Structures are given as structure tokens and as C-alpha cells.
Amino acid sequence: MKIDFDYEVSELTGDLKSADGYLDCETIVLANVKRQLHNKIAVHSIESYLKQLQKYFEDKSVINKGSEVSINYTYAAGFLKTINDTPYWHHWVKTTD
């Protein structure tokens, strides 16, 4: 099964626009990652998706600089960087229910 990047981005973007601070942004991203794991997407596919997603939100935060939503995109990109830089991230994500 393949991750539909455009669909996932539209879902995340909508949720991030209404997020209230870093923890909300982290919760939104984490829920998305958990859903990918729950849908039995291969970890290597999720890792590729997360790197692409981090780049997307880094770019969106620059494009939208000065707006409120830019901060939430920055928070999301920062949390995605943490996930991407953490070996065996999928183990701790699975235990955060």
C-alpha cells in the first residue's frame, strides 16, 4: 500500500491551520504517523514519506513567513525532524497510545 502524499498533506495542513501551539502540532503529526503504521504501511515507506513531509512543511513555513500558520508549519517540521533523526522511531511511536 502506498501513501497518498497529496491527500495526507491536505489533511495535515487543514489540521495545522487550527492548531494551538507546539503540542497540538505534535499531536496532529503523531496521529498521522500512527495512522500510517496502523494501515500497515512499510516502515521504509513511512520514513520516505516523513522526510518528504518535513521538507514540505519547511518550505511552507518559509513561503508563509509572517503569518500565524507559518509558526505551526515550523513546529510540524521541527517535530518531523526529531522523528527523522531518531533511530527506531517506530518503536516509541507504537507505544504512545
Side-chain angles (χ1 to χ4, degrees), residues 26-92:
E26 183 178 300
T27 300
I28 290 165
V29 171
L30 192 56
N32 182 269
V33 174
K34 284 181 180 184
R35 189 172 72 237
Q36 305 309 326
L37 288 168
H38 179 73
N39 289 340
K40 307 260 191 261
I41 304 294
V43 170
H44 66 85
S45 294
I46 298 172
E47 287 174 340
S48 175
Y49 161 72
L50 294 175
K51 288 176 184 167
Q52 188 179 6
L53 198 59
Q54 177 186 342
K55 173 78 170 108
Y56 176 84
F57 283 120
E58 287 170 347
D59 292 346
K60 288 292 277 186
S61 68
V62 171
I63 291 167
N64 291 285
K65 189 171 182 140
S67 69
E68 272 187 46
V69 74
S70 173
I71 295 168
N72 289 347
Y73 293 154
T74 302
Y75 290 153
F79 184 60
L80 286 161
K81 180 174 179 10
T82 299
I83 294 172
N84 288 327
D85 290 347
T86 304
Y88 305 107
W89 58 267
H90 50 284
H91 292 296
W92 65 262

